[in-house]
């Protein structure tokens, strides 16, 4: 969908804030009165096309609902174009994790068209939960369910043999089309067609045709082959063969395109999971490095204190008249 189409669509799709909250899984379990009360805490925010709502690394303190328009969630890339994660359109939301933690934003967001956002800050959200224990329990249940789903997704292997799964679900007609396409692109088909042509021509020689019993007689009584030159019947057979080959090859090519798309989707999920794992490892390594530096500083201060104590002579008790 183009940006112009998004702009035209956004002009006619303006919904109530409470209805927007009802579409979000995090708030679907809330009672109607809770959603209405929470909707009154939303703050409207306008963004022009191209405006950055927030950048990766910014302090996060609120989530956003798209009342009208569309925004794009992306990862900045210094060496090339940004990595687009998702296009968020009217009725969708983003930045919900900022309601529960104080961590920086994990991605950047910019407006694709003139967009109207509804902002829910952490303070307003916490105040509402404090006044409505029922809403707090409902949202905690939803977060627990999402956490289980995330753990299940991360525990599963993203890499899989999509080609084998694709081929296992093929019907017999699809397998036949693939075999025909595979045969047509081989030397075996060329040699087979040349051999069949040679046998057809030889079999229609009068001497051979009369010997094998496949012959006819002309009006003057001469013996001839069942399909004499110019081999009209053979040309008909070839024409039927070619007319059948075309659709079968196109069907096979369409399935190959579907296989390529499935492989690309699997590669994307594998790369995304690896990227998340690498980011997690880097964060753990950074925390471990900070802890090691802190411990080294403590050890250095302790060693410095030991050296000072060793270099400064100990004071002897008494004063200048103590010897007397």
């Amino acid at each position: 969908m183009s940006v112009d189409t998004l702009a035209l669509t956004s002009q006619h799709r303006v919904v109530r804030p409470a209805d927007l909250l009802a579409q979000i899984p995090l708030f679907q379990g809330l009672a109607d009165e809770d959603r209405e009360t929470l909707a009154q805490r939303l703050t409207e925010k306008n963004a022009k096309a191209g405006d950055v709502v927030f950048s990766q690394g910014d302090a996060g303190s609120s989530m956003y609902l798209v009342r009208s328009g569309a925004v794009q969630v992306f990862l900045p890339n210094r060496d090339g174009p940004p990595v687009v994660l998702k296009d968020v359109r009217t009725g969708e939301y983003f930045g919900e994790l900022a309601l529960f933690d104080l961590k920086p934003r994990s991605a950047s967001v910019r407006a694709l068209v003139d967009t109207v956002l509804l902002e829910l800050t952490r303070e307003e959200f916490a105040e509402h939960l404090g006044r409505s224990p029922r809403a707090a329990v409902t949202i905690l249940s939803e977060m627990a369910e999402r956490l289980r789903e995330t753990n299940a997704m991360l525990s599963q292997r993203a890499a899989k043999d999509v080609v084998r799964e694709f081929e296992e679900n093929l019907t017999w007609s699809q397998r036949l089309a693939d075999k025909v396409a595979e045969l047509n692109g081989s030397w075996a088909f060329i040699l087979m067609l040349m051999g069949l042509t040679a046998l057809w021509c030889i079999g229609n020689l009068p001497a051979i045709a009369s010997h094998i019993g496949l012959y006819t007689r002309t009006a003057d009584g001469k013996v001839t082959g069942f399909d004499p030159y110019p081999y009209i019947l053979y040309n008909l057979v070839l024409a039927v063969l070619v007319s059948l080959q075309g659709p079968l090859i196109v069907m096979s090519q369409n399935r190959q395109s579907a296989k390529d798309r499935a492989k690309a989707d699997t590669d994307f999920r594998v790369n995304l999971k690896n990227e998340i794992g690498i980011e997690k490892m880097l964060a753990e390594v950074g925390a471990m490095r900070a802890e090691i530096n802190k411990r080294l500083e403590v050890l250095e201060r302790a060693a410095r204190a030991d050296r000072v104590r060793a270099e400064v002579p100990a004071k002897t008790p008494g004063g200048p008249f103590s010897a007397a």
Side-chain angles (χ1 to χ4, degrees), residues 2-13 113:
S2 64
V3 174
D4 294 337
T5 305
L6 287 173
L8 292 175
T9 304
S10 63
Q11 295 176 357
H12 303 283
R13 297 181 59 190
V113 296

Side-chain angles (χ1 to χ4, degrees), residues 21 69 73-74 161 195 206 240 279 307 318:
L21 291 176
V73 183
F74 66 95
D161 191 351
V240 173
E279 290 179 354
R307 286 198 303 270

Side-chain angles (χ1 to χ4, degrees), residues 47-53 70-72 109-115:
K48 297 293 183 180
D51 289 350
V52 176
V53 180
V71 298
Q72 186 177 79
V109 177
R110 64 165 168 247
L112 294 176
V113 296
D114 292 346
T115 304

Side-chain angles (χ1 to χ4, degrees), residues 269-294:
R269 287 188 282 109
V270 171
N271 293 335
L272 182 60
K273 187 173 183 179
N274 290 338
E275 184 177 359
I276 295 174
I278 291 173
E279 290 179 354
K280 185 177 180 180
M281 290 176 59
L282 290 176
E284 293 177 353
V285 170
M288 183 177 65
R289 181 181 299 173
E291 182 67 22
I292 291 175
N293 292 334
K294 187 183 300 182

Side-chain angles (χ1 to χ4, degrees), residues 129-143:
L129 294 185
R131 294 183 178 182
S132 178
R134 179 180 58 184
V137 172
T138 302
I139 290 178
L140 287 176
S141 300
E142 178 63 29
M143 292 298 296

Side-chain angles (χ1 to χ4, degrees), residues 74-144:
F74 66 95
L75 294 175
N77 185 9
R78 297 180 180 178
D79 300 329
V83 180
V84 178
L85 300 180
K86 184 181 180 182
D87 289 341
V88 183
R89 298 184 174 87
T90 301
E92 299 179 333
Y93 63 98
F94 59 94
E96 70 278 8
L97 293 180
L99 297 178
F100 303 96
D101 57 30
L102 297 174
K103 294 183 178 180
R105 299 288 188 181
S106 59
S108 300
V109 177
R110 64 165 168 247
L112 294 176
V113 296
D114 292 346
T115 304
V116 178
L117 301 174
L118 296 177
E119 182 181 12
L120 177 62
T121 62
R122 184 189 296 112
E123 290 76 13
E124 294 288 345
F125 182 65
E127 184 178 353
H128 177 73
L129 294 185
R131 294 183 178 182
S132 178
R134 179 180 58 184
V137 172
T138 302
I139 290 178
L140 287 176
S141 300
E142 178 63 29
M143 292 298 296

Side-chain angles (χ1 to χ4, degrees), residues 18-298:
D19 296 335
L20 282 176
L21 291 176
Q23 298 175 12
I24 299 176
L26 184 62
F27 304 115
Q28 283 180 352
L30 295 178
D32 294 338
E33 56 270 20
D34 285 330
R35 280 198 296 267
E36 292 290 344
T37 304
L38 193 60
Q40 296 176 2
R41 297 178 178 272
L42 299 175
T43 304
E44 187 172 292
K45 181 178 180 181
N46 296 317
K48 297 293 183 180
D51 289 350
V52 176
V53 180
F54 56 75
S55 300
Q56 184 182 27
D58 291 348
S61 60
S62 58
M63 71 169 293
Y64 295 90
L65 295 83
V66 182
R67 189 171 190 179
S68 63
V71 298
Q72 186 177 79
V73 183
F74 66 95
L75 294 175
N77 185 9
R78 297 180 180 178
D79 300 329
V83 180
V84 178
L85 300 180
K86 184 181 180 182
D87 289 341
V88 183
R89 298 184 174 87
T90 301
E92 299 179 333
Y93 63 98
F94 59 94
E96 70 278 8
L97 293 180
L99 297 178
F100 303 96
D101 57 30
L102 297 174
K103 294 183 178 180
R105 299 288 188 181
S106 59
S108 300
V109 177
R110 64 165 168 247
L112 294 176
V113 296
D114 292 346
T115 304
V116 178
L117 301 174
L118 296 177
E119 182 181 12
L120 177 62
T121 62
R122 184 189 296 112
E123 290 76 13
E124 294 288 345
F125 182 65
E127 184 178 353
H128 177 73
L129 294 185
R131 294 183 178 182
S132 178
R134 179 180 58 184
V137 172
T138 302
I139 290 178
L140 287 176
S141 300
E142 178 63 29
M143 292 298 296
E145 183 64 25
R146 294 176 64 179
L147 182 59
R148 290 194 189 95
E149 293 177 357
T150 302
N151 291 336
M153 181 189 69
L154 294 178
S155 62
Q156 295 174 355
R157 293 183 58 189
K160 58 182 180 180
D161 191 351
V162 294
V163 176
R164 187 184 64 181
E165 294 182 1
F166 198 93
E167 291 179 350
E168 288 176 353
N169 297 323
L170 293 178
T171 62
W172 69 268
S173 58
Q174 293 173 337
R175 296 179 187 276
L176 177 62
D178 291 342
K179 291 295 183 181
V180 170
E182 181 181 357
L183 179 62
N184 287 339
S186 64
W187 276 104
F189 178 76
I190 296 175
L191 296 176
M192 181 181 67
L193 191 60
M194 293 176 62
L196 179 62
T197 303
L199 289 176
W200 194 279
C201 294
I202 294 174
N204 279 281
L205 294 175
I208 303 298
S210 60
H211 180 72
I212 61 178
L214 295 176
Y215 65 92
T216 58
R217 293 183 180 275
T218 59
D220 55 359
K222 293 183 179 180
V223 176
T224 182
F226 64 93
D227 184 28
Y229 182 83
Y231 312 115
I232 298 176
L233 178 60
Y234 187 61
N235 288 329
L236 177 62
V237 172
L238 292 180
V240 173
L241 180 62
V242 170
S243 63
L244 292 177
Q245 283 178 330
L248 292 175
I249 293 175
V250 172
M251 291 167 57
S252 180
Q253 290 177 346
N254 292 337
R255 271 189 300 278
Q256 185 61 42
S257 299
K259 291 180 183 178
D260 294 339
R261 287 193 298 270
K263 290 171 64 178
D265 181 65
T266 301
D267 293 340
F268 172 76
R269 287 188 282 109
V270 171
N271 293 335
L272 182 60
K273 187 173 183 179
N274 290 338
E275 184 177 359
I276 295 174
I278 291 173
E279 290 179 354
K280 185 177 180 180
M281 290 176 59
L282 290 176
E284 293 177 353
V285 170
M288 183 177 65
R289 181 181 299 173
E291 182 67 22
I292 291 175
N293 292 334
K294 187 183 300 182
R295 292 177 181 270
L296 288 176
E297 290 178 1
V298 173

